[in-house]
Amino acid sequence: MAGGILATVALLAVANTASQAQDIEAKYSRDAMQQALETRERYDVHGLRFGISTSTLRPGTEAILDDIATALKNFPEWGLRIVGHTDSSGNAETNQQLSIARAEAIKAALVERGIAADRLQAGGVGQTMPVASNDGGAGRALNRRVELVRTTDSAEARKLLKAMTDYLAGQKAMSFSYDSNLQVITNSDQKLGLASSGTVVLNRPDKVHTSRSGGFVDSEALFDGKTLTLLGKNVNKYTQVEIPGTVDNLIDELKDKYGLPLPAADLLMTTAYDELMTGVYDSKDLGSGVVNGTECDSLAFRKDDVDFQIWVAHGAEPYPCRLVITSSKVRGGPEYSVQISNWKSGDAAASDDFGFNNTSKAEKIDVNDLKHSLGDLPENFMVGDKK
C-alpha cells in the first residue's frame, strides 16, 4: 500500500512538472514577455528550441524571435542580455559552451531582424541554475530555457567608477578604517550578520598593514614587500610566508593559493577597474547618496553571480565610502558590505614601518594551521549549497 501511494505521489509530481512546462508555453505572449521585461527586468522563454546538442534554432521559433525584436524596437533605450540554460544531461563543461553558443545564435537572429549588436549581450550558465529537478524529462524541459534580461549600460556609472579606481591606483600612500558585515543564511532561511571592524594602511607598490577584529576573529596582516606575516591575536599565534613583489601580487597569492583575501582587496589593486568590471552586463547611476555625512555618487552593477553597489565620494578625492556585494547564486542572496571612514591619502595617511614585532611572544606555526583562526566564520559554521 505504502509503495503504491509513493508511486502515485511520484507520478503526480512528474505530471505537475510536465503541466507546468506546458502552461508556461501556453501562456506565452509578446505582451506578457514585454511586460515582464518592463517590470521584473527578466523573462524565461521556453519556446526557442534547438537541435539536440546543437546551437541550431529549429523551425517554428521565428515568431518568438520577431516578438523579441519588436519589443526592443518599441523600447530603443533597452539593452538585452540573452542567457542560455541547459539541463544536466551530458558533460557540465560541454553544456556551458552549448548554452553560450545558443545565446549567440539568438543574438545573431535578432541582429538579422534589425537590432543593433551593441544592444545585445550573449552569455550562458550551462546547467548551473536549474528551476526544476533534472531527474525527469519534464523537469529537464523546464531547465532548457533562454533567459532574457533587460539591461542598462550607464556610461556615466562606468566613468565615475573608472575615476575612483584611477584615483586609488594613483595614491602612493593611503589609510582608512572600515566596518564590515558578512551575512550568512541558515538552513531555516534566517539571515545572520557577522560584523567586524579594522584598519588598512597601504604604501605602494609593496607595503600594507591590515587589522580586523570581530566576534570570531582578531587578526593582523603585515607585508613589507618580501614577507607576509599573519597574526592571530585571539590565539596568539602567527605565521610567515615569503611572497616577494607588489601588493597586487600579494592579493592574488592570498586569494588563489591560501584562500585568505585581504579586507577590501578588490579596491586596493592597481587593476581595480578591470577586476570589478569583468563580467558586468548592467550598470546604473543611481544619483547622489550620503554615507557617514559624505555626499556620494551611488553606482550599481550586475554580473551573472553577484550584484555590487558602490558609493563614491564627491570632490577631488573620489574614494569609496561604501561597497555592498550581493550573491545572486546563493540561496537567500547574502550580502557582504564594507563601510569606509577616516579616509586619508598622501602625507596625511597613517604611517607604519610594516615590520612585525612579536611583542606578545606569539607562537610561530604553519600557515595551514592558522587559517581557520583568520576567517569571518567560526569553526562550527559549514558552507552550504548554491541555489
Side-chain angles (χ1 to χ4, degrees):
M1 175 66 70
I5 292 174
L6 289 174
T8 300
V9 170
L11 287 172
L12 286 172
V14 171
N16 183 62
T17 306
S19 175
Q20 185 180 359
Q22 293 167 0
D23 286 347
I24 289 173
E25 289 199 35
K27 290 178 180 177
Y28 167 80
S29 70
R30 186 179 71 193
D31 289 343
M33 179 263 294
Q34 186 169 291
Q35 184 178 28
L37 291 176
E38 282 188 83
T39 56
R40 298 192 302 274
E41 299 186 354
R42 59 183 61 232
Y43 184 76
D44 281 349
V45 183
H46 288 85
L48 291 171
R49 302 185 184 280
F50 296 86
I52 296 174
S53 299
T54 76
S55 58
T56 302
L57 283 159
R58 288 181 172 175
T61 60
E62 293 82 4
I64 296 178
L65 292 168
D66 291 342
D67 287 349
I68 299 171
T70 298
L72 290 170
K73 291 173 182 177
N74 288 341
F75 294 88
E77 73 279 10
W78 284 6
L80 191 69
R81 181 166 172 79
I82 306 155
V83 184
H85 296 260
T86 70
D87 61 31
S88 63
S89 302
N91 178 271
E93 184 176 348
T94 300
N95 285 338
Q96 173 74 18
Q97 295 304 314
L98 180 62
S99 67
I100 295 172
R102 288 177 170 176
E104 290 284 2
I106 293 169
K107 176 180 176 179
L110 293 175
V111 170
E112 289 178 358
R113 285 163 170 78
I115 305 302
D118 60 5
R119 294 179 61 192
L120 304 170
Q121 303 172 42
V125 295
Q127 64 193 49
T128 62
M129 298 179 68
V131 293
S133 171
N134 278 298
D135 292 338
R140 289 194 294 272
L142 278 175
N143 293 330
R144 294 190 299 270
R145 66 197 191 280
V146 175
E147 182 183 12
L148 305 179
V149 184
R150 176 167 64 86
T151 64
T152 302
D153 184 13
S154 169
E156 185 66 13
R158 292 174 178 263
K159 175 184 173 182
L160 291 168
L161 185 70
K162 186 67 163 59
M164 183 205 76
T165 55
D166 285 349
Y167 167 75
L168 293 179
Q171 301 309 300
K172 297 300 182 184
M174 57 185 175
S175 64
F176 57 88
S177 303
Y178 69 89
D179 297 301
S180 68
N181 186 63
L182 173 66
Q183 283 186 347
V184 295
I185 311 296
T186 70
N187 289 333
S188 59
D189 292 328
Q190 182 180 14
K191 287 188 176 182
L192 304 176
L194 303 178
S196 62
S197 296
T199 59
V200 174
V201 181
L202 182 145
N203 281 7
R204 296 198 192 280
D206 58 1
K207 292 178 175 60
V208 66
H209 181 183
T210 70
S211 69
R212 182 172 50 161
S213 60
F216 304 104
V217 62
D218 189 4
S219 66
E220 287 188 56
L222 298 105
F223 179 62
D224 61 6
K226 296 179 181 179
T227 303
L228 171 70
T229 302
L230 298 171
L231 172 64
K233 297 168 72 173
N234 50 332
V235 293
N236 202 33
K237 296 179 181 180
Y238 78 98
T239 189
Q240 290 184 315
V241 183
E242 297 302 313
I243 310 179
T246 64
V247 172
D248 283 11
N249 180 62
L250 170 70
I251 290 171
D252 285 337
E253 283 279 304
L254 279 177
K255 179 181 65 174
D256 298 337
K257 190 172 181 180
Y258 299 102
L260 291 170
L262 286 179
D266 286 340
L267 302 176
L268 301 180
M269 300 185 74
T270 56
T271 57
Y273 184 80
D274 292 336
E275 297 291 329
L276 291 169
M277 292 302 293
T278 298
V280 165
Y281 64 81
D282 184 275
S283 54
K284 294 181 175 71
D285 177 4
L286 303 178
S288 292
V290 177
V291 178
N292 281 337
T294 299
E295 189 172 3
C296 306
D297 289 303
S298 178
L299 314 173
F301 303 88
R302 307 201 81 171
K303 304 186 183 188
D304 281 334
D305 53 349
V306 296
D307 298 338
F308 70 93
Q309 187 172 358
I310 191 163
W311 286 257
V312 180
H314 285 180
E317 293 188 302
Y319 65 89
C321 294
R322 190 165 190 256
L323 172 67
V324 177
I325 302 171
T326 305
S327 174
S328 56
K329 282 194 174 181
V330 176
R331 178 175 51 84
E335 293 181 351
Y336 175 71
S337 65
V338 177
Q339 187 150 310
I340 289 173
S341 59
N342 197 30
W343 172 267
K344 304 291 182 184
S345 62
D347 294 339
S351 60
D352 202 302
D353 63 7
F354 303 97
F356 174 59
N357 300 308
N358 192 4
T359 56
S360 66
K361 297 182 180 179
E363 176 189 356
K364 186 175 183 179
I365 61 175
D366 184 83
V367 61
N368 292 314
D369 296 326
L370 186 62
K371 283 173 62 175
H372 69 276
S373 299
L374 301 175
D376 289 297
L377 296 175
E379 291 184 68
N380 61 315
F381 274 53
M382 296 181 65
V383 178
D385 295 331
K386 294 182 178 181
K387 279 184 181 178

